Amino acid sequence: MKFSKRFSIAALLATATALTPSVAQTVSDEVTPEARLDIPDGQTLFGKNDPNVRRATAQVNGEIITGTDIDHRLALIVAANNNQLPPEEVARFRAQILTNLIDETLQIQEAAANEIEVTDAEVNQYFDRVAQQNFNRPANEVEKYLISIGSSVATLKRQIKGELSWSRLLSRNVRPSANVSDDEVNAIIERIKATKGTTEYRIGEIYLSATPETMPAVTENARKIMDQLRQGGNFVAYARQFSEASTASVGGDLGWLSLAQLPPSLATAASNMRANEIQAVPSPGGISILLLIDRRQVATSDPRDSVLSLKQIAITFPAGTTEAQVAPLVKRFSEETGKISGCGAADEMARQLNADVVNRDGIKVRDLPAPLQQVMLDLQVGQSTPPYGSLEDGVRVFVMCGRDAPQEASSESFDEIMSRLEEERVNKRARIYLRDLRRDAVIEYN
């Protein structure tokens, strides 16, 4: 059955996966009162079910995408969610994965039509890097791991080939026309000087394109993705699988931006978000799921980059200890450690409290848990923090033994700004390019 590409792929997915039996069986129509099948012995099985036959889910300009392809991509999503993907979400993810595979196929086909080659050696080299960065395993161990979760090396290498093909295609056909003039860069530099001390935001984005007709379905899709992310889903993994922006290959990281560099809807949202907060926002041409990774002051050193020398004093509690039993211990621990007037006295105080002592040097304030960061910024050398911890993990205080001020912040260089502006233009034109490929494609759903 063929569908015109004038209609949205997402709107047609609901009718795209009807299953047709391939094996005819002779069975009795009678059912026992216990609702068990009454299948007599000695009957004949007509036909043969070959598990090696891979039935097409869709054909893109004649190229087949199979259910196995979708299963292997889905396994990566499930693993990224610590195997906790709700069963009711599986169908939605399969539909989105099919859309992604269709786009990926179009990108590879367009690259081939433009005589752009990505060799197996290049894919393997990239795969080795991904294996170390994303799975923290050597390539030969990643193959076993992928098989164990129901995926395969082939599906990951296919995704890598798609990313490399599309990137090279954009470099040849799009990037040369995305030139940025020196005047534009200089204007940015002047604006940075004028806005010194204002806030910049480091943002992650999962971009989902939508038309007025598909907006309700895409909005619901965005809501469900956010639910998974809030339950512990990996934002980088989701961005690589679902984002339709060119930043998908870097996990959706947009880098550091001022509010003036963002579309108004995204700027408003970012200004009101807390660190690590996730929010879905209307975006030009669709919806953006934003993650506020961090914020900083423009061209100003960030006190959270101060490097600390700390002494940790910790006490733990036996298993089964109740909060009522712990309360007086924590009170005494707080009172005694509060008397510490320098790191030299910390070891003796720890001995009196039967506590463990650990020296920790080279710790940045921003790398500490959020509740401790402001405490550390306000702490003087020689002072200790209030107790911090839990019943299960024990309670600890940190004594400030030294603090090195952060280095002066350096602004983006001329070349860095030019590169960023060019990337933004390429990203915008890439979306239009892919949209046109979808419209011109012949796609059959089975």
Side-chain angles (χ1 to χ4, degrees), residues 3-280:
F3 295 99
S4 168
K5 287 302 293 175
R6 291 193 297 271
F7 295 93
S8 164
I9 293 172
L12 300 172
L13 287 174
T15 60
T17 55
L19 297 178
T20 303
S22 61
V23 179
Q25 296 179 337
T26 303
V27 298
S28 171
D29 292 333
E30 297 181 0
V31 180
T32 66
E34 290 83 6
R36 291 177 299 180
L37 292 176
D38 183 14
I39 305 177
D41 294 331
Q43 305 300 298
T44 301
L45 181 66
F46 298 96
K48 180 180 179 181
N49 182 38
D50 187 350
N52 295 315
V53 173
R54 299 172 59 174
R55 296 178 176 84
T57 299
Q59 294 189 46
V60 183
N61 296 325
E63 185 170 343
I64 294 174
I65 296 173
T66 71
T68 302
D69 296 327
I70 296 174
D71 290 340
H72 286 182
R73 291 290 175 91
L74 179 63
L76 296 175
I77 299 291
V78 173
N81 283 274
N82 299 316
N83 299 317
Q84 296 179 351
L85 192 66
E88 62 272 15
E89 292 291 291
V90 171
R92 180 180 65 83
F93 276 98
R94 288 182 66 85
Q96 183 62 52
I97 290 168
L98 176 58
T99 301
N100 295 345
L101 285 168
I102 289 172
D103 287 348
E104 184 179 283
T105 302
L106 291 171
Q107 291 167 346
I108 293 173
Q109 290 175 346
E110 181 68 4
N114 282 264
E115 299 181 348
I116 292 173
E117 181 184 9
V118 176
T119 66
D120 291 343
E122 291 170 321
V123 171
N124 291 336
Q125 185 179 25
Y126 194 100
F127 175 79
D128 290 344
R129 291 203 302 271
V130 170
Q132 189 60 45
Q133 294 171 1
N134 292 19
F135 301 100
N136 199 27
R137 292 176 168 91
N140 62 328
E141 292 184 12
V142 168
E143 182 172 0
K144 297 177 183 177
Y145 168 73
L146 292 174
I147 293 173
S148 73
I149 64 172
S151 187
S152 67
V153 168
T155 194
L156 193 53
K157 287 186 176 180
R158 162 80 176 194
Q159 186 172 354
I160 290 170
K161 183 176 181 179
E163 291 176 0
L164 293 177
S165 298
W166 188 237
S167 176
R168 292 179 183 180
L169 183 67
L170 296 179
S171 294
R172 177 186 293 183
N173 292 357
V174 176
R175 196 172 295 277
S177 62
N179 296 326
V180 176
S181 69
D182 290 356
D183 289 343
E184 290 176 279
V185 176
N186 288 326
I188 294 288
I189 292 174
E190 291 302 316
R191 187 162 70 240
I192 289 174
K193 292 178 180 178
T195 57
K196 182 177 181 179
T198 59
T199 305
E200 274 187 328
Y201 302 81
R202 187 179 177 192
I203 295 171
E205 179 191 36
I206 299 174
Y207 176 77
L208 307 174
S209 65
T211 64
E213 294 78 18
T214 63
M215 183 60 76
V218 174
T219 300
E220 178 64 12
N221 188 28
R223 184 190 66 78
K224 291 180 178 179
I225 290 176
M226 288 176 60
D227 288 343
Q228 293 301 311
L229 292 172
R230 287 168 176 161
Q231 293 171 23
N234 185 296
F235 188 93
V236 171
Y238 272 72
R240 285 181 62 89
Q241 290 294 335
F242 295 119
S243 181
E244 298 174 46
S246 63
T247 53
S249 62
V250 292
D253 191 350
L254 300 181
W256 290 101
L257 300 168
S258 67
L259 295 182
Q261 294 170 281
L262 292 167
S265 58
L266 272 61
T268 300
S271 65
N272 295 312
M273 291 171 69
R274 301 182 302 276
N276 296 316
E277 183 179 352
I278 297 170
Q279 195 172 126

Side-chain angles (χ1 to χ4, degrees), residues 314-390:
I315 58 172
T316 56
F317 311 114
T321 305
T322 65
E323 290 188 14
Q325 293 171 319
V326 163
L329 297 175
V330 173
K331 181 180 179 182
R332 178 170 179 257
F333 185 63
S334 178
E335 290 173 348
E336 296 299 323
T337 54
K339 299 174 183 177
I340 295 175
S341 57
C343 280
D347 292 316
E348 177 60 23
M349 181 65 69
R351 187 187 65 77
Q352 295 176 14
L353 296 171
N354 195 29
D356 297 322
V357 179
V358 177
N359 294 312
R360 303 183 64 190
D361 296 325
I363 304 297
K364 280 189 176 183
V365 174
R366 69 167 62 252
D367 294 332
L368 293 170
L372 281 176
Q373 291 188 19
Q374 190 57 49
V375 172
M376 288 297 182
L377 292 177
D378 297 335
L379 211 62
Q380 300 297 317
V381 173
Q383 293 181 329
S384 62
T385 67
Y388 175 79
S390 66

